[in-house]
């Protein structure tokens, strides 16, 4: 499963990219607003740091506007995936941009049939929002499982990019359900490393090693 960072904070992205385990980045208008940065500048910086798909969301809501914004965003870097909302105009623009060779990440997906439409529209990625469904007392993970089944039934190549992830458990269940990618807030990414038995085991090994009086180098 590919691991993306869900952030527009170049400091966080740089630090995590240094792990060598980051496969891409997703941004959205809220994350850009939170960064306080100019959209195009921060996108160019992210593309220079992470060599993988970088999602940049259009904000127009009509077909012509999405097409124009998508084309402009795609010119920033070859790794840009234009993010478009799951609306009739969004999917129409998805078809057009995909036919031009621009990867599209269809966002704000909350149902399996929406995901089916996005795949038919040639989306490179579909972003089901797990956490927001869970927040509303629905089962976000069931959405991932159903999309996986539908895509496998018909051989759709659209990649399931699990989004709105809130916890390590979400990441684990997405991997088990066969999501192709997951986009993680930086704090969740950092938590993936953690287990109390790892810390306790390491401490005990180092203590015992010290008692031998040896050194490897
Ligand atoms: C996905 O691409 C979105 O940027 C993001 O995952 C939304 O997450 P949220 O529900 O935590 O805002």
């Amino acid at each position: 499963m590919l691991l993306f960072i869900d952030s527009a904070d170049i400091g966080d992205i740089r630090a995590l990219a240094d792990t060598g385990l980051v496969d891409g980045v997703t941004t959205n208008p809220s994350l850009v607003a939170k960064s306080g940065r100019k959209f195009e500048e921060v996108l160019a910086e992210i593309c220079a740091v992470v060599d993988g798909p970088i999602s940049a969301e259009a904000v127009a809501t009509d077909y012509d506007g999405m097409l124009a914004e998508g084309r402009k965003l795609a010119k920033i870097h070859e790794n840009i995936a234009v993010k478009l909302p799951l609306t009739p105009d969004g999917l129409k623009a998805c078809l057009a941009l995909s036919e031009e060779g621009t990867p599209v990440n269809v966002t704000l997906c909350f149902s399996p049939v929406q995901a089916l439409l996005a795949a038919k529209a040639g989306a490179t990625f579909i972003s089901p929002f797990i956490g927001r469904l869970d927040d509303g007392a629905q089962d976000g993970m069931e959405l991932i499982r159903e999309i996986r089944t539908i895509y496998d039934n018909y051989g759709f190549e659209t990649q399931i990019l699990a989004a709105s992830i809130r916890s390590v458990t979400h990441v684990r269940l997405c991997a088990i359900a066969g999501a192709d990618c997951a986009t993680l807030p930086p704090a969740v990414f950092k938590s993936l490393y953690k287990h109390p038995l790892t810390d306790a085991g390491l401490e005990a090994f180092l203590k015992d090693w010290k008692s031998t009086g040896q050194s490897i180098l």
Side-chain angles (χ1 to χ4, degrees), residues 6-7 26-31 55 57 83 105 107-108 110 127-132 135 161-166 183-185:
D6 198 24
S7 174
T26 54
T27 64
N28 66 37
S30 304
L31 292 170
S55 290
E57 191 158 339
K83 220 168 162 187
N105 174 0
T107 189
L108 292 166
F110 294 94
S127 288
F129 276 38
I130 302 170
R132 293 193 193 187
D135 291 347
L161 200 182
S164 187
I165 283 188
R166 308 264 196 262
T183 187
L184 281 51

Side-chain angles (χ1 to χ4, degrees), residues 119-130:
K120 287 176 71 69
T124 298
F125 301 101
I126 182 69
S127 288
F129 276 38
I130 302 170

Side-chain angles (χ1 to χ4, degrees), residues 1-201:
M1 183 169 73
L2 300 179
L3 296 178
F4 295 175
I5 302 299
D6 198 24
S7 174
D9 182 317
I10 190 66
D12 282 344
I13 293 166
R14 216 172 248 130
L16 291 171
D18 201 44
T19 65
L21 301 177
V22 174
D23 301 301
V25 174
T26 54
T27 64
N28 66 37
S30 304
L31 292 170
V32 174
K34 196 172 155 196
S35 77
R37 299 282 314 279
K38 197 166 180 309
F39 191 26
E40 288 178 37
E41 278 176 20
V42 81
L43 281 176
E45 286 179 30
I46 295 170
C47 290
V49 169
V50 175
D51 185 17
I54 311 298
S55 290
E57 191 158 339
V59 290
T61 53
D62 65 297
Y63 170 74
D64 289 327
M66 287 185 201
L67 210 52
E69 289 182 0
R71 285 176 178 149
K72 186 171 178 194
L73 290 169
K75 277 193 193 131
I76 294 173
H77 194 278
E78 61 184 1
N79 284 346
I80 292 285
V82 175
K83 220 168 162 187
L84 297 173
L86 212 153
T87 61
D89 280 46
L91 293 191
K92 198 174 155 196
C94 173
L95 259 175
L97 287 171
S98 300
E99 274 168 15
E100 291 174 8
T102 296
V104 175
N105 174 0
V106 173
T107 189
L108 292 166
C109 171
F110 294 94
S111 88
V113 290
Q114 286 183 320
L116 173 63
L117 292 179
K120 287 176 71 69
T124 298
F125 301 101
I126 182 69
S127 288
F129 276 38
I130 302 170
R132 293 193 193 187
L133 281 171
D134 287 0
D135 291 347
Q138 294 183 61
D139 186 355
M141 210 51 64
E142 184 60 14
L143 175 58
I144 301 291
R145 287 190 287 268
E146 290 191 7
I147 297 173
R148 180 75 282 153
T149 301
I150 291 168
Y151 283 7
D152 290 349
N153 281 350
Y154 298 100
F156 285 121
E157 288 179 5
T158 300
Q159 295 179 55
I160 302 172
L161 200 182
S164 187
I165 283 188
R166 308 264 196 262
S167 65
V168 170
T169 301
H170 272 159
V171 179
R172 175 172 63 86
L173 295 176
C174 281
I176 291 169
D180 299 287
C181 342
T183 187
L184 281 51
V188 174
F189 191 101
K190 288 178 204 159
S191 296
L192 295 183
Y193 289 91
K194 292 183 193 158
H195 195 287
L197 290 178
T198 303
D199 296 338

